[in-house]
Amino acid sequence: MSDTEEGAATPAPATDLLAASPATAYFWGRVAGDGDLSRNSVTVRAGDDTAADALAAVAGANRTDHRVAARESAHDASIVRYEDEYELQVIGAPAERASAALGLPIDGQAGGYRFDAFADHRAPLVRGLLEACGTVCFRESAGRVGISFVHDDERLLETVRSLLDAADPHVPTDDLAKSSSGGYWFGLADDADVAGFAQWVYAGSDVSGLYSENRRRKLRRSVERATGGDVGELSG
């Protein structure tokens, strides 16, 4: 791996996108949370160039299509934010293979979400899901960090809850609920060790280069506000 000017490592291309590794776990977590499969292509979106470069490197593809996209707030559809969005498309066989192996939806069909192949790479898988369909905020009134996952497909969110339940350290979650935007969401429970979760989910991210700089920074700063301490770069 080589380092970019910003200091983030560049992941090596995956020789097989369906072979289990930290890089492919992160890649398919991002696809499941904010991507699409068709018979001929895999599309995945990212919100900053660090993540977009990492995804392109893993897929062995060129990054394309940077735009500013309007996004409704996950919990309040009346709030619209304008954010950077990078879209990467991988053409070819991986889409149908991924749908069959991982249970990802394809061409609008329902998905089953089978991530057992990534059992040894749970943290980068959850990191990809968190960055793709998760939200992080600091709750001023409670002095706590709020972390939630939001998606239109409740089956995906139930799968994420199962991944967190089986994580080490265990991450307790609230029940699934409907969001104002018409989808579903759940949050980490109030008794969850958010600082421990943050350290776990981003462990090794500097070395691997598999992360969104914006999302990692926001989580780090939120945890530091809540704990009053320095948690470093969440990459150890």
Side-chain angles (χ1 to χ4, degrees):
M1 296 181 184
S2 62
D3 288 344
T4 66
E5 291 181 359
E6 291 77 14
T10 301
T15 55
D16 182 350
L17 281 173
L18 270 299
S21 71
T24 56
Y26 177 76
F27 179 86
W28 291 114
R30 298 284 316 217
V31 172
D34 192 10
D36 305 289
L37 273 66
S38 69
R39 295 294 172 188
N40 300 314
S41 67
V42 176
T43 301
V44 60
R45 289 169 284 274
D48 66 24
D49 56 357
T50 308
D53 286 343
L55 293 167
V58 172
N62 293 322
R63 193 184 77 196
T64 58
D65 194 13
H66 173 217
R67 60 176 180 155
V68 177
R71 288 182 177 265
E72 292 181 351
S73 169
H75 301 295
D76 186 346
S78 67
I79 299 174
V80 177
R81 297 184 177 91
Y82 293 87
E83 302 173 345
D84 284 328
E85 181 177 272
Y86 298 84
E87 187 172 277
L88 172 72
Q89 193 170 56
V90 182
I91 306 298
E96 287 192 297
R97 291 176 58 214
S99 179
L102 305 177
L104 299 181
I106 187 168
D107 285 334
Q109 299 176 13
Y113 301 106
R114 299 181 297 274
F115 293 132
D116 292 349
F118 300 123
D120 292 335
H121 310 292
R122 194 182 306 273
L125 173 63
V126 172
R127 186 189 314 150
L129 289 159
L130 174 66
E131 293 179 355
C133 64
T135 66
V136 176
C137 67
F138 178 73
R139 300 173 181 169
E140 293 280 359
S141 59
R144 293 178 177 174
V145 181
I147 297 177
S148 57
F149 291 79
V150 186
H151 202 271
D152 290 340
D153 192 340
E154 59 183 318
R155 287 163 297 188
L156 173 62
L157 295 182
E158 289 291 7
T159 301
V160 178
R161 290 184 70 219
S162 296
L163 290 169
L164 294 173
D165 183 64
D168 185 13
H170 168 68
V171 184
T173 62
D174 294 328
D175 292 335
L176 217 61
K178 288 188 176 181
S179 68
S180 63
S181 59
Y184 300 87
W185 75 282
F186 74 88
L188 301 195
D190 286 343
D191 61 343
D193 178 2
V194 176
F197 168 75
Q199 293 284 4
W200 170 76
V201 81
Y202 277 104
S205 55
D206 266 349
V207 174
S208 69
L210 302 167
Y211 67 95
S212 159
E213 178 60 40
N214 290 348
R215 301 305 300 276
R216 189 177 73 170
R217 183 189 304 117
K218 183 174 183 179
L219 179 56
R220 174 176 59 82
R221 290 177 176 173
S222 296
V223 170
E224 288 180 341
R225 290 182 68 186
T227 62
D230 185 354
V231 298
E233 292 299 320
L234 297 182
S235 60

